[in-house]
Amino acid sequence: MKKFGFILVCVMAGGLGLYLSPSLQYDFKTLNGKQFRWHELKQQYIIVNYFAEWCAPCLKEIPQLNIFSQYAQQQADVVLFAVNFDNLDESKLKQLKQKYSMKFDIISGLPNNPPFNRPRALPATFIISPQGELIKELNGEMTNEELQNIIEKLRTL
């Protein structure tokens, strides 16, 4: 009976550990502390932009992403996130966000289980459908107008 009790306690402790493990509770979190799972964002177009400070087109794109972020905030079905290609720690990401006046959410670290592969070149923008599938991979600098036009066209499909 003692052996059964010990096994039961071990199984329960292991289960509790899995339940409490932060990496299993969410796929990514943003610098402002919000946690997300990809499947919870269904019914929205998810825009994920990879950037790096050493990437001149990425820095040039930031003001356009700021404008697009305002558009996204006014839409019930669009959300924008940025990911630092270099996987900087949170304090360095916060410094970058302030330095370049980024008005959009930045993912802390690299996201878990994304519906896309890490890009080979920057800037790179991924668009995930409301059904959770990758529908566009955009390479190169994007403008607010281009992103809005893409979303509007996708809505009509």
Side-chain angles (χ1 to χ4, degrees), residues 3 6 9 24 37 55 67 91 107-108 119 137-138 148:
K3 188 175 182 181
F6 177 75
V9 168
L24 296 176
R37 296 203 54 102
C55 167
I67 296 168
S91 66
I107 293 175
S108 178
E137 180 176 345
L138 306 165
Q148 283 191 38

Side-chain angles (χ1 to χ4, degrees), residues 26-153:
Y26 57 88
D27 290 324
F28 63 92
K29 73 174 188 167
T30 58
L31 285 182
N32 60 10
K34 291 184 182 176
Q35 299 175 355
F36 296 91
R37 296 203 54 102
W38 293 111
H39 72 271
E40 292 170 349
L41 293 167
K42 286 190 176 182
Q43 310 310 315
Q44 298 180 70
Y45 290 97
I46 307 167
I47 316 316
V48 179
N49 176 270
Y50 271 78
F51 75 97
E53 186 175 25
W54 47 261
C55 167
C58 297
L59 299 180
K60 188 176 175 193
E61 187 179 49
I62 290 171
Q64 291 296 309
L65 292 175
N66 282 338
I67 296 168
F68 182 76
S69 174
Q70 291 174 345
Y71 163 82
Q73 290 172 8
Q74 296 170 358
Q75 309 298 307
D77 64 343
V78 180
V79 63
L80 169 66
F81 297 104
V83 178
N84 180 263
F85 185 81
D86 296 324
N87 195 20
L88 298 176
D89 65 40
E90 281 195 15
S91 66
K92 289 181 182 174
L93 281 176
K94 287 177 181 178
Q95 290 171 3
L96 275 181
K97 183 172 177 140
Q98 183 176 5
K99 180 178 180 179
Y100 295 104
S101 300
M102 297 173 162
K103 307 291 184 212
F104 40 89
D105 283 332
I106 298 176
I107 293 175
S108 178
L110 298 175
N112 295 322
N113 309 310
F116 49 82
N117 293 320
R118 190 165 186 236
R120 295 181 186 186
L122 296 177
T125 304
F126 299 94
I127 301 179
I128 299 141
S129 75
Q131 293 75 35
E133 299 170 358
L134 176 65
I135 50 176
K136 285 218 176 271
E137 180 176 345
L138 306 165
N139 296 303
E141 187 180 330
M142 299 299 299
T143 67
N144 164 57
E145 185 176 345
E146 289 170 325
L147 290 170
Q148 283 191 38
N149 287 339
I150 290 169
I151 295 297
E152 295 303 322
K153 286 179 186 174

